[in-house]
Amino acid sequence: MESLLTKTAELLSSAASDPDRVLKWVLIYFGISSLGFIAVWLIGSIRDAQRSGSN
């Protein structure tokens, strides 16, 4: 547990010294999350179109 707290403190201090790096990773995270959401929505939309087309 102590090593986890130490590692977290090191990461937070390095993030505070380089905010552009943090912003870059936040943007990458939200970009990947958005792509995942779009993919799930698109798959659902295609399945729904196939289901209503077969009836």
Coordinates of all heavy atoms in Angstrom, one line a residue:
M1 N 0.8 -1.2 0.0 CA 0.0 0.0 0.0 C 0.9 1.3 0.0 O 0.5 2.2 -0.7 CB -0.9 0.0 1.2 CG -1.9 1.1 1.3 SD -3.1 0.9 0.0 CE -4.1 2.3 0.2
E2 N 1.9 1.2 0.7 CA 2.8 2.4 0.8 C 3.5 2.7 -0.6 O 3.6 3.8 -0.9 CB 4.0 2.1 1.8 CG 4.9 3.3 2.1 CD 4.2 4.5 2.7 OE1 3.2 4.3 3.5 OE2 4.6 5.6 2.4
S3 N 3.8 1.6 -1.3 CA 4.5 1.8 -2.6 C 3.4 2.4 -3.6 O 3.8 3.2 -4.4 CB 5.0 0.5 -3.1 OG 4.0 -0.4 -3.3
L4 N 2.2 2.0 -3.4 CA 1.1 2.5 -4.3 C 1.0 4.0 -4.0 O 0.8 4.8 -5.0 CB -0.2 1.8 -4.1 CG -1.4 2.3 -4.9 CD1 -1.2 2.0 -6.3 CD2 -2.6 1.5 -4.4
L5 N 0.9 4.4 -2.8 CA 0.8 5.8 -2.4 C 2.0 6.6 -2.9 O 1.9 7.7 -3.4 CB 0.7 6.0 -0.9 CG -0.7 5.5 -0.4 CD1 -0.6 5.6 1.2 CD2 -1.8 6.3 -0.9
T6 N 3.2 6.0 -2.8 CA 4.4 6.7 -3.3 C 4.4 6.9 -4.8 O 4.7 8.0 -5.3 CB 5.7 5.9 -2.9 OG1 5.7 5.7 -1.5 CG2 6.9 6.6 -3.3
K7 N 4.0 5.9 -5.5 CA 3.9 5.9 -7.0 C 2.8 7.0 -7.4 O 3.1 7.7 -8.3 CB 3.5 4.5 -7.5 CG 3.5 4.5 -9.0 CD 4.9 4.7 -9.6 CE 4.9 4.5 -11.1 NZ 6.1 4.8 -11.7
T8 N 1.7 7.0 -6.7 CA 0.7 8.0 -7.0 C 1.2 9.4 -6.8 O 0.9 10.3 -7.6 CB -0.6 7.7 -6.1 OG1 -1.0 6.4 -6.4 CG2 -1.7 8.7 -6.5
A9 N 1.9 9.6 -5.7 CA 2.4 10.9 -5.4 C 3.5 11.3 -6.5 O 3.5 12.5 -6.9 CB 3.1 10.9 -4.0
E10 N 4.3 10.4 -6.9 CA 5.2 10.7 -8.0 C 4.5 11.1 -9.3 O 4.9 12.0 -10.0 CB 6.1 9.5 -8.2 CG 7.1 9.2 -7.1 CD 7.9 7.9 -7.3 OE1 7.7 7.3 -8.4 OE2 8.7 7.6 -6.4
L11 N 3.5 10.3 -9.6 CA 2.7 10.6 -10.9 C 2.0 12.0 -10.8 O 2.0 12.7 -11.8 CB 1.7 9.5 -11.1 CG 2.2 8.2 -11.6 CD1 1.1 7.1 -11.6 CD2 2.9 8.3 -12.9
L12 N 1.5 12.3 -9.6 CA 0.8 13.6 -9.5 C 1.8 14.7 -9.5 O 1.5 15.8 -10.1 CB 0.0 13.6 -8.2 CG -1.3 12.8 -8.1 CD1 -1.9 12.8 -6.7 CD2 -2.3 13.3 -9.1
S13 N 3.0 14.6 -8.9 CA 3.9 15.6 -9.0 C 4.5 15.8 -10.4 O 4.7 17.0 -10.8 CB 5.1 15.4 -8.0 OG 5.8 14.3 -8.4
S14 N 4.7 14.7 -11.1 CA 5.1 14.9 -12.5 C 4.0 15.5 -13.4 O 4.3 16.2 -14.3 CB 5.6 13.5 -13.1 OG 4.5 12.7 -13.2
A15 N 2.8 15.2 -13.1 CA 1.7 15.8 -13.9 C 1.6 17.3 -13.6 O 1.3 18.1 -14.5 CB 0.4 15.1 -13.5
A16 N 1.8 17.7 -12.4 CA 1.8 19.1 -12.0 C 2.9 19.9 -12.7 O 2.7 21.0 -13.1 CB 1.9 19.3 -10.5
S17 N 4.0 19.2 -13.0 CA 5.1 19.9 -13.6 C 5.0 19.9 -15.1 O 5.7 20.7 -15.8 CB 6.5 19.3 -13.2 OG 6.5 17.9 -13.7
D18 N 4.1 19.1 -15.7 CA 4.0 19.1 -17.1 C 2.5 19.0 -17.5 O 2.0 17.9 -17.9 CB 4.7 17.9 -17.7 CG 4.9 17.9 -19.2 OD1 4.4 18.9 -19.8 OD2 5.4 17.0 -19.8
P19 N 1.7 20.1 -17.4 CA 0.3 20.0 -17.6 C -0.1 19.7 -19.1 O -1.1 19.2 -19.4 CB -0.2 21.4 -17.2 CG 1.0 22.3 -17.2 CD 2.2 21.4 -17.0
D20 N 0.8 20.0 -20.0 CA 0.5 19.7 -21.5 C 0.5 18.2 -21.7 O -0.3 17.7 -22.5 CB 1.6 20.3 -22.4 CG 1.5 21.8 -22.4 OD1 0.4 22.4 -22.1 OD2 2.5 22.5 -22.8
R21 N 1.3 17.5 -21.0 CA 1.3 16.0 -21.1 C 0.0 15.5 -20.6 O -0.6 14.6 -21.2 CB 2.5 15.5 -20.3 CG 2.6 14.0 -20.4 CD 3.9 13.5 -19.7 NE 3.9 12.1 -19.6 CZ 4.5 11.4 -18.6 NH1 5.1 12.1 -17.6 NH2 4.4 10.1 -18.6
V22 N -0.5 16.0 -19.5 CA -1.8 15.6 -18.9 C -2.9 15.9 -19.9 O -3.8 15.0 -20.1 CB -2.0 16.3 -17.5 CG1 -3.4 15.9 -17.0 CG2 -1.0 15.9 -16.5
L23 N -2.9 17.1 -20.4 CA -4.0 17.4 -21.4 C -3.9 16.5 -22.6 O -5.0 16.1 -23.1 CB -3.8 18.9 -21.8 CG -4.7 19.4 -22.9 CD1 -6.2 19.4 -22.3 CD2 -4.4 20.8 -23.3
K24 N -2.8 16.2 -23.1 CA -2.6 15.3 -24.2 C -3.3 13.9 -23.9 O -4.1 13.4 -24.7 CB -1.2 15.1 -24.6 CG -1.0 14.1 -25.7 CD 0.5 13.9 -26.0 CE 1.1 12.9 -25.0 NZ 2.4 12.5 -25.4
W25 N -3.0 13.4 -22.7 CA -3.5 12.1 -22.4 C -5.0 12.1 -22.1 O -5.8 11.2 -22.4 CB -2.8 11.5 -21.2 CG -1.5 10.9 -21.6 CD1 -0.3 11.4 -21.3 CD2 -1.3 9.7 -22.4 NE1 0.7 10.6 -21.9 CE2 0.1 9.6 -22.6 CE3 -2.1 8.8 -23.0 CZ2 0.7 8.6 -23.3 CZ3 -1.5 7.8 -23.7 CH2 -0.2 7.6 -23.9
V26 N -5.5 13.2 -21.6 CA -7.0 13.4 -21.4 C -7.7 13.4 -22.7 O -8.7 12.8 -22.9 CB -7.3 14.7 -20.5 CG1 -8.7 15.0 -20.6 CG2 -6.8 14.5 -19.1
L27 N -7.1 14.2 -23.7 CA -7.7 14.2 -25.0 C -7.7 12.9 -25.7 O -8.6 12.5 -26.4 CB -7.0 15.3 -25.9 CG -7.2 16.7 -25.4 CD1 -6.4 17.7 -26.3 CD2 -8.7 17.1 -25.5
I28 N -6.6 12.1 -25.5 CA -6.5 10.8 -26.1 C -7.5 9.9 -25.5 O -8.2 9.1 -26.2 CB -5.1 10.2 -25.9 CG1 -4.1 10.9 -26.8 CG2 -5.0 8.7 -26.2 CD1 -2.6 10.6 -26.6
Y29 N -7.7 10.0 -24.2 CA -8.7 9.1 -23.5 C -10.1 9.4 -24.0 O -10.9 8.5 -24.3 CB -8.6 9.4 -22.0 CG -9.7 8.7 -21.2 CD1 -9.7 7.4 -21.0 CD2 -10.8 9.5 -20.8 CE1 -10.7 6.7 -20.3 CE2 -11.8 8.9 -20.1 CZ -11.8 7.5 -19.8 OH -12.8 6.9 -19.2
F30 N -10.5 10.7 -24.1 CA -11.8 11.1 -24.5 C -12.0 10.7 -26.0 O -13.1 10.4 -26.4 CB -12.1 12.5 -24.2 CG -12.5 12.8 -22.8 CD1 -11.7 13.6 -22.0 CD2 -13.6 12.2 -22.3 CE1 -12.1 13.8 -20.7 CE2 -14.0 12.4 -21.0 CZ -13.2 13.2 -20.2
G31 N -10.9 10.8 -26.8 CA -11.0 10.5 -28.2 C -11.3 9.0 -28.4 O -12.2 8.6 -29.2
I32 N -10.6 8.2 -27.7 CA -10.8 6.7 -27.7 C -12.2 6.4 -27.2 O -12.9 5.5 -27.8 CB -9.7 6.0 -27.0 CG1 -8.4 6.1 -27.7 CG2 -10.0 4.5 -26.8 CD1 -7.2 5.6 -27.0
S33 N -12.6 7.0 -26.1 CA -13.9 6.8 -25.6 C -15.0 7.1 -26.6 O -16.0 6.4 -26.7 CB -14.2 7.5 -24.3 OG -13.2 7.2 -23.3
S34 N -14.8 8.2 -27.3 CA -15.8 8.7 -28.3 C -15.9 7.7 -29.4 O -17.0 7.4 -29.9 CB -15.5 10.1 -28.8 OG -15.5 11.0 -27.7
L35 N -14.7 7.2 -29.9 CA -14.7 6.3 -31.0 C -15.4 5.0 -30.5 O -16.1 4.4 -31.3 CB -13.3 6.0 -31.4 CG -12.6 7.1 -32.2 CD1 -11.1 6.7 -32.4 CD2 -13.3 7.4 -33.5
G36 N -15.2 4.5 -29.3 CA -15.9 3.3 -28.8 C -17.4 3.5 -28.8 O -18.2 2.6 -29.2
F37 N -17.8 4.7 -28.3 CA -19.3 5.0 -28.3 C -19.9 5.0 -29.7 O -20.9 4.4 -29.9 CB -19.5 6.3 -27.6 CG -20.9 6.7 -27.6 CD1 -21.9 6.2 -26.7 CD2 -21.4 7.7 -28.5 CE1 -23.2 6.6 -26.8 CE2 -22.7 8.1 -28.6 CZ -23.6 7.5 -27.7
I38 N -19.2 5.6 -30.6 CA -19.7 5.6 -32.0 C -19.7 4.2 -32.6 O -20.7 3.9 -33.3 CB -18.8 6.6 -32.9 CG1 -19.0 8.0 -32.4 CG2 -19.0 6.4 -34.3 CD1 -17.9 9.0 -33.0
A39 N -18.7 3.4 -32.3 CA -18.7 2.0 -32.8 C -19.9 1.3 -32.3 O -20.6 0.6 -33.0 CB -17.4 1.4 -32.5
V40 N -20.2 1.4 -31.0 CA -21.3 0.6 -30.4 C -22.6 1.1 -31.0 O -23.5 0.4 -31.3 CB -21.3 0.8 -28.9 CG1 -22.6 0.3 -28.2 CG2 -20.1 0.0 -28.3
W41 N -22.7 2.5 -31.1 CA -24.0 3.0 -31.7 C -24.2 2.6 -33.1 O -25.3 2.2 -33.5 CB -23.9 4.6 -31.6 CG -25.0 5.2 -32.3 CD1 -26.3 5.4 -31.9 CD2 -25.0 5.7 -33.7 NE1 -27.0 6.0 -32.8 CE2 -26.3 6.3 -33.9 CE3 -24.0 5.9 -34.6 CZ2 -26.6 6.8 -35.2 CZ3 -24.3 6.5 -35.8 CH2 -25.6 6.9 -36.1
L42 N -23.1 2.5 -33.9 CA -23.2 2.1 -35.3 C -23.6 0.7 -35.4 O -24.4 0.3 -36.3 CB -21.8 2.4 -36.0 CG -21.8 2.3 -37.5 CD1 -22.8 3.2 -38.1 CD2 -20.4 2.6 -38.0
I43 N -23.0 -0.2 -34.6 CA -23.3 -1.6 -34.6 C -24.8 -1.8 -34.3 O -25.5 -2.6 -34.9 CB -22.4 -2.4 -33.7 CG1 -21.0 -2.4 -34.3 CG2 -22.9 -3.8 -33.5 CD1 -19.9 -3.0 -33.3
G44 N -25.3 -1.1 -33.3 CA -26.7 -1.2 -32.9 C -27.6 -0.7 -34.0 O -28.6 -1.3 -34.2
S45 N -27.2 0.4 -34.6 CA -28.0 0.9 -35.7 C -28.1 0.0 -36.9 O -29.1 -0.2 -37.5 CB -27.4 2.3 -36.2 OG -28.1 2.8 -37.2
I46 N -27.0 -0.6 -37.2 CA -27.0 -1.6 -38.3 C -27.8 -2.8 -38.0 O -28.6 -3.3 -38.8 CB -25.5 -2.0 -38.7 CG1 -24.8 -0.9 -39.3 CG2 -25.5 -3.2 -39.6 CD1 -23.3 -1.1 -39.4
R47 N -27.7 -3.3 -36.8 CA -28.5 -4.5 -36.3 C -30.0 -4.1 -36.4 O -30.8 -4.9 -36.8 CB -28.1 -4.9 -34.9 CG -26.8 -5.7 -34.9 CD -26.6 -6.2 -33.5 NE -25.5 -7.2 -33.5 CZ -25.1 -7.8 -32.4 NH1 -25.7 -7.6 -31.3 NH2 -24.1 -8.6 -32.5
D48 N -30.3 -2.9 -35.9 CA -31.7 -2.5 -35.9 C -32.3 -2.4 -37.4 O -33.4 -2.8 -37.6 CB -31.9 -1.2 -35.2 CG -33.3 -0.8 -34.9 OD1 -34.1 -1.7 -34.6 OD2 -33.6 0.4 -35.0
A49 N -31.4 -1.9 -38.3 CA -31.9 -1.7 -39.7 C -32.0 -3.1 -40.3 O -33.0 -3.3 -41.1 CB -30.8 -0.9 -40.4
Q50 N -31.2 -4.1 -40.0 CA -31.3 -5.4 -40.5 C -32.5 -6.1 -39.9 O -33.3 -6.8 -40.6 CB -30.1 -6.2 -40.2 CG -28.9 -5.9 -41.0 CD -27.6 -6.7 -40.5 OE1 -27.6 -7.3 -39.5 NE2 -26.6 -6.6 -41.3
R51 N -32.8 -5.9 -38.7 CA -34.0 -6.5 -38.0 C -35.3 -5.9 -38.6 O -36.2 -6.7 -38.9 CB -33.9 -6.2 -36.5 CG -34.8 -7.2 -35.7 CD -34.6 -7.0 -34.2 NE -33.3 -7.4 -33.8 CZ -32.6 -6.6 -33.0 NH1 -33.0 -5.5 -32.5 NH2 -31.4 -7.0 -32.7
S52 N -35.4 -4.6 -38.8 CA -36.6 -4.1 -39.4 C -36.7 -4.3 -40.8 O -37.8 -4.4 -41.4 CB -36.6 -2.6 -39.1 OG -35.6 -1.9 -39.8
G53 N -35.6 -4.5 -41.5 CA -35.6 -4.9 -43.0 C -36.1 -6.3 -43.2 O -36.7 -6.6 -44.3
S54 N -35.9 -7.2 -42.3 CA -36.2 -8.6 -42.5 C -37.7 -8.8 -42.2 O -38.2 -9.9 -42.5 CB -35.3 -9.5 -41.6 OG -35.6 -9.2 -40.3
N55 N -38.4 -7.9 -41.5 CA -39.8 -8.1 -41.1 C -40.7 -7.7 -42.3 O -40.6 -6.8 -43.0 CB -40.1 -7.3 -39.9 CG -39.5 -8.0 -38.7 OD1 -39.2 -9.1 -38.7 ND2 -39.4 -7.2 -37.6

